[in-house]
Amino acid sequence: VENERLVADGIRNVFPDHDIIGEEAVGTGSLPALKKNVPTWIIDPIDGTTNFSAGIHSLTCVSIGYCQGGRPVVGVVYAPGTQELYLAVKGYGAYRDGQRIRQFPESSTKSLEKAVVCCEFGYCREQKQIDTILGGLSKVMQSRCRAIRQLG
């Protein structure tokens, strides 16, 4: 919670009229609706809390998004474990440590049969939620993906 307060205070100092939605403050409750007429920041100061508390720091990051008109326009992710900074701006592309991230469809697109699919079960414990997730994984497996992994 202190990490979230630090990030939120930094944003409020520069943009006092903007809304801020913090993952730690909202917790597992419902997310507030984005107001189209109010710029909104969405922050997760420890994205990968379970990984962090399990000591898997390379899979933990700080995630900050900025929305205008109810739509995301900027995203920033800093991964302290790998010291990588990711930035994406609508209409300008995505970058890792200042280098443009590009996808070359002819060489990077893979079929599902060659894909390793990563997933997360989250915190659901009710049978209906579990059945929904397992049903989705079953469909992916029936589509002949190479493998399914979950970490953290």
Side-chain angles (χ1 to χ4, degrees), residues 48-130:
T49 307
T50 302
N51 292 331
F52 182 81
S53 57
I56 309 172
H57 299 144
S58 61
L59 295 178
T60 302
C61 57
V62 178
S63 298
I64 302 173
Y66 175 69
C67 301
Q68 283 184 331
R71 298 201 174 268
V73 293
V74 175
V76 179
V77 175
Y78 177 66
T82 59
Q83 296 185 358
E84 293 173 302
L85 177 67
Y86 294 87
L87 169 68
V89 179
K90 184 177 181 178
Y92 293 93
Y95 299 82
R96 183 183 70 205
D97 295 329
Q99 298 293 313
R100 180 87 186 252
I101 299 171
R102 296 185 185 274
Q103 180 180 2
F104 299 100
E106 50 287 338
S107 63
S108 66
T109 301
K110 298 180 180 179
S111 65
L112 187 58
E113 291 84 12
K114 295 180 182 178
V116 176
V117 177
C118 297
C119 65
E120 180 187 10
F121 283 80
Y123 298 103
C124 68
R125 298 296 179 261
E126 294 182 25
Q127 192 61 50
K128 185 175 179 181
Q129 294 171 317
I130 293 168

